[in-house]
Amino acid sequence: MVGNHSPAKEAPHARPHPAERHSRLPAPSARPACGGQVSHALARVARSHRTTAGHLLRRLGLYPGQELLMMRLWEAGPQRQSELIKLMELDPSTVTRMVQRLEQAGLISRCAHPGDRRAVLIETTPAGEALREEVEQVWRDLEERTVAGLTEADRAELSRLLSLLERNLATG
Amino acid sequence: MVGNHSPAKEAPHARPHPAERHSRLPAPSARPACGGQVSHALARVARSHRTTAGHLLRRLGLYPGQELLMMRLWEAGPQRQSELIKLMELDPSTVTRMVQRLEQAGLISRCAHPGDRRAVLIETTPAGEALREEVEQVWRDLEERTVAGLTEADRAELSRLLSLLERNLATG
DNA sequence: GCCCATTACTTGGCCAGCCAACATAATGGT
DNA sequence: ACCATTATGTTGGCTGGCCAAGTAATGGGC
């Protein structure tokens, strides 16, 4: 991975005082007049989607989010970090760190921008380039799995609606 | 936020599924260059949505994600942590830490489960209860902003499609 | 009674992402 | 030339979220 893992230890605590309240309420998933039908669904689906992407990307040594940055580089070639930030709509600090990790992983490299000493130029390394096919395959798999069972019309409709939502949320 | 920082005053702070349908799958239509149309849109919209939620929740001293846990407690009353984990479909460790922070913020309290010394019962505190109206208002606002401009039919359709996606991603 | 799988939770570690504050470098105006 | 403004990145700090690994308590089988 572009990182790694490890173990654990113990801990205390525990507070007395039961007071056992039996609040057996109605079924958990009643769809109450809970304000956010679409919001909830969107959040759940997106998290699930991201987690699935994570599992697939894992074998390639990437974390979800990193593949998007790589894809931008593959498609648009070497570019300024500020360009990545703008296009991916991420916080500058997020990109800075992601870039640091990807560089350390040997997938990209940073170099000074000739002509603007503030800027950093970012480009893929051969190792990074080598991941392209696999990552794109992962995305095809993911997309297929995501919209499985939807008709062509459904997919188009979904894209249309998501675009509307994106517009709504952008302007605010 | 709920974790630390501060705000203005004190104590509690200031910091702050529907339908389904048939559909036969057609040939893997040749998609545009970019493999994940829906996937990309979904990811972008969801991130934007979450960020927007974050801005709204911020004034209440909450981080996005925490409000969902509170809402479950408000709706279903005191319950085991394992129940929250199951219903929210989160990793146990995620809930453990979220609960620790919310407890430290004074919004919920943990106590031993009488009869099962492994379990932890979680309930809202008065301070937590006091946030309910505001949080629910935030969610109504968020939902409204999210689906603004969509017809009733569009909203229903969107919910339907998202449910399908959820099902697709769950089984895998 | 005794042993073991299961359940419930916790900690360590790592990542994306955000905000705030900061250091530099380029630019524009006067 | 000089200085304020803008552009570009970076670091610190905090969150949600995941995985791996570990501690306890429960419950079942023998």
Side-chain angles (χ1 to χ4, degrees):
Chain A
M1 205 65 100
V2 169
N4 88 92
H5 316 1
S6 220
K9 204 34 205 187
E10 66 112 4
H13 100 304
R15 267 178 91 126
H17 289 64
E20 166 73 40
R21 234 132 341 185
H22 237 316
S23 56
R24 262 313 111 118
L25 286 199
S29 43
R31 63 211 44 126
C34 156
Q37 287 303 281
V38 169
S39 290
H40 266 110
L42 182 64
R44 291 172 70 84
V45 170
R47 190 157 52 73
S48 191
H49 182 268
R50 189 182 177 84
T51 299
T52 301
H55 290 325
L56 296 174
L57 290 169
R58 190 166 198 180
R59 308 168 221 180
L60 306 182
L62 291 176
Y63 282 92
Q66 297 181 334
E67 87 281 16
L68 297 174
L69 196 157
M70 294 304 294
M71 284 168 128
R72 278 238 40 99
L73 289 176
W74 288 326
E75 288 170 21
Q79 57 203 285
R80 298 176 153 224
Q81 192 165 306
S82 59
E83 210 57 37
L84 290 173
I85 290 169
K86 208 164 302 176
L87 290 167
M88 299 180 68
E89 296 183 303
L90 290 173
D91 188 273
S93 61
T94 297
V95 174
T96 291
R97 277 153 183 152
M98 211 181 294
V99 160
Q100 291 172 342
R101 287 169 182 137
L102 288 170
E103 181 182 32
Q104 191 164 14
L107 301 178
I108 65 178
S109 70
R110 310 185 319 170
C111 57
H113 185 313
D116 189 340
R117 293 193 300 181
R118 295 171 300 179
V120 173
L121 270 182
I122 298 179
E123 61 183 1
T124 59
T125 61
E129 209 60 45
L131 274 179
R132 183 166 186 172
E133 273 311 315
E134 289 174 293
V135 169
E136 291 180 342
Q137 184 56 50
V138 159
W139 266 79
R140 281 191 291 272
D141 288 353
L142 181 61
E143 177 74 0
E144 200 173 316
R145 186 180 308 195
T146 301
V147 299
L150 275 68
T151 65
E152 223 22 73
D154 279 346
R155 300 179 191 197
E157 182 70 356
L158 182 53
S159 287
R160 180 182 74 84
L161 293 170
L162 287 176
S163 291
L164 290 178
L165 263 53
E166 189 169 354
R167 221 165 56 70
N168 281 343
L169 294 168
T171 352
Chain B
M1 246 16 162
V2 130
N4 88 49
H5 269 326
S6 73
K9 291 269 186 77
E10 236 280 340
H13 349 31
R15 19 177 184 63
H17 307 62
E20 140 121 42
R21 204 169 290 176
H22 55 297
S23 72
R24 59 213 123 249
L25 59 150
S29 60
R31 293 209 147 292
C34 174
Q37 286 305 285
V38 169
S39 290
H40 266 110
L42 182 63
R44 292 171 69 85
V45 170
R47 190 156 52 72
S48 191
H49 182 268
R50 189 182 177 84
T51 299
T52 301
H55 289 326
L56 295 174
L57 289 169
R58 189 168 198 174
R59 307 168 223 179
L60 306 182
L62 292 176
Y63 281 93
Q66 298 182 333
E67 88 282 15
L68 297 174
L69 197 156
M70 294 303 293
M71 285 171 128
R72 280 244 33 104
L73 290 176
W74 288 326
E75 288 170 22
Q79 58 203 284
R80 296 177 157 225
Q81 190 165 307
S82 58
E83 211 57 37
L84 290 173
I85 290 168
K86 208 166 301 175
L87 291 167
M88 299 180 70
E89 295 183 305
L90 290 173
D91 188 273
S93 62
T94 297
V95 174
T96 290
R97 276 153 181 152
M98 211 182 293
V99 160
Q100 291 172 342
R101 287 167 183 139
L102 288 170
E103 181 183 32
Q104 191 164 15
L107 301 179
I108 65 177
S109 69
R110 309 186 320 172
C111 56
H113 184 311
D116 189 340
R117 294 192 300 183
R118 294 170 303 177
V120 174
L121 272 182
I122 299 180
E123 59 183 2
T124 58
T125 60
E129 209 59 46
L131 274 178
R132 183 167 185 171
E133 273 311 314
E134 289 174 294
V135 169
E136 290 179 343
Q137 184 56 50
V138 159
W139 266 78
R140 281 191 291 273
D141 287 354
L142 181 61
E143 176 74 2
E144 200 174 315
R145 187 180 307 195
T146 301
V147 298
L150 274 69
T151 65
E152 250 340 285
D154 279 348
R155 299 177 191 198
E157 181 71 356
L158 182 53
S159 287
R160 181 182 75 84
L161 294 169
L162 287 175
S163 291
L164 290 178
L165 263 54
E166 189 169 355
R167 221 165 57 69
N168 281 344
L169 294 167
T171 3

